[in-house]
Amino acid sequence: MITEDEIVRDKAINSDGPEKKAASPVFWAAIMLLSGTCTTLFAKVQFDISAKGLDTCNVGDDDEYNCKFQKPWFSVLEMKCAMALCAPIFYGLGWGRPDLQSDPRGHSPSAEALKAVWLPALLDLLNTVLGNIGLVWVSSSIYQMTRGSVVIFSAILSVQWLGKTLRSFHYWSISFVVMAVILVGVAGIKQPDPASDDGDDNCTGNDCADDDGDSDASATEIIIGLLFILAAQVTTRLRDMKL
């Protein structure tokens, strides 16, 4: 049975009116790429900011109260607050609001729509939390490249749950992605351990950090961070399957 939501959606998609003039897909793809990269870089910069606090922490300088702001849950809160700013733009300025011709129901979400999106929204929140926890211990570059493992989990879940069949070129592509993720993980684990005494004795605290700000993480912490990022990609694929 065709629901009212499906009828309205098909009407909006098939509408050929002059007022419907979508932007170029390349433009939106560039915006998504730029915004995703900036989000990762800004979160990593925030995690590397040091300040004196009330609690002690393990840092490589004399002042044990000089701690880094490694609070991934606060970064998630910032992201969700920024997303919530879409509400006043949508309801106040009317940007993106459908007109009565394309959607006679208005712009208020229906109960069916809310029931359909609560689980994907929960999975998206879990994906953001897991990814930000992993970003605390790995560099932003390794974080971005490890996120490419979502292709692997997409293929596995598509075959197991959706019954899709992969062709030979799919397997070749996935095998290259697997090798790339393994190389990225090994590169992150093989970086110098700050706990060793082989480094420069003249550097202290944040001066010992490399450009990505991840040299203060041990190999064990980097492995844990990579596992959190991989778990985040699993939830990403589960979210997409629920949409």
Side-chain angles (χ1 to χ4, degrees):
M1 181 177 179
I2 301 178
T3 63
E4 183 183 1
D5 291 339
E6 293 176 345
I7 295 176
V8 174
R9 182 183 61 186
D10 293 339
K11 183 178 179 181
I13 293 176
N14 298 325
S15 176
D16 295 328
E19 69 280 355
K20 183 182 177 183
K21 203 169 185 179
S24 172
V26 178
F27 170 78
W28 291 114
I31 291 296
M32 292 178 62
L33 179 61
L34 178 62
S35 60
T37 304
C38 290
T39 300
T40 301
L41 292 176
F42 291 158
K44 189 61 180 179
V45 169
Q46 179 177 264
F47 295 155
D48 285 339
I49 294 176
S50 298
K52 290 186 178 181
L54 300 177
D55 297 327
T56 59
C57 58
N58 295 323
V59 293
D61 52 13
D62 297 331
D63 188 2
E64 61 181 2
Y65 289 93
N66 189 25
C67 308
K68 287 188 176 182
F69 191 81
Q70 296 180 339
K71 295 177 173 57
W73 50 88
F74 186 80
S75 177
V76 174
L77 177 62
E78 290 176 325
M79 295 175 63
K80 298 309 176 183
C81 289
M83 294 177 185
L85 293 177
C86 295
I89 294 176
F90 181 82
Y91 290 101
L93 301 178
W95 294 358
R97 181 188 301 178
D99 54 19
L100 294 179
Q101 286 186 344
S102 61
D103 191 350
R105 302 167 304 170
H107 54 270
S108 298
S110 62
E112 292 78 10
L114 294 177
K115 292 179 181 179
V117 302
W118 75 267
L119 183 56
L122 180 62
L123 292 174
D124 181 75
L125 176 62
L126 181 60
N127 161 54
T128 307
V129 172
L130 294 175
N132 277 270
I133 294 175
L135 183 59
V136 171
W137 293 306
V138 302
S139 66
S140 55
S141 57
I142 293 179
Y143 171 82
Q144 287 287 78
M145 290 184 286
T146 307
R147 291 179 63 185
S149 61
V150 68
V151 177
I152 304 171
F153 302 113
S154 298
I156 295 174
L157 296 179
S158 297
V159 173
Q160 296 295 327
W161 288 9
L162 302 181
K164 294 186 177 181
T165 302
L166 299 181
R167 303 179 66 177
S168 58
F169 62 88
H170 291 141
Y171 286 105
W172 276 108
S173 301
I174 295 171
S175 63
F176 282 120
V177 175
V178 171
M179 289 187 292
V181 172
I182 293 176
L183 291 176
V184 169
V186 172
I189 297 172
K190 291 296 185 180
Q191 65 183 2
D193 192 345
S196 63
D197 296 328
D198 296 336
D200 187 3
D201 295 336
N202 295 326
C203 67
T204 58
N206 296 331
D207 295 335
C208 297
D210 58 8
D211 294 337
D212 287 331
D214 62 337
S215 64
D216 58 343
S218 64
T220 302
E221 291 173 336
I222 293 175
I223 294 175
I224 296 175
L226 291 173
L227 293 177
F228 271 107
I229 298 173
L230 293 176
Q233 305 319 303
V234 175
T235 59
T236 298
R237 181 50 186 163
L238 291 175
R239 177 204 64 191
D240 295 340
M241 295 181 66
K242 293 297 181 181
L243 290 175

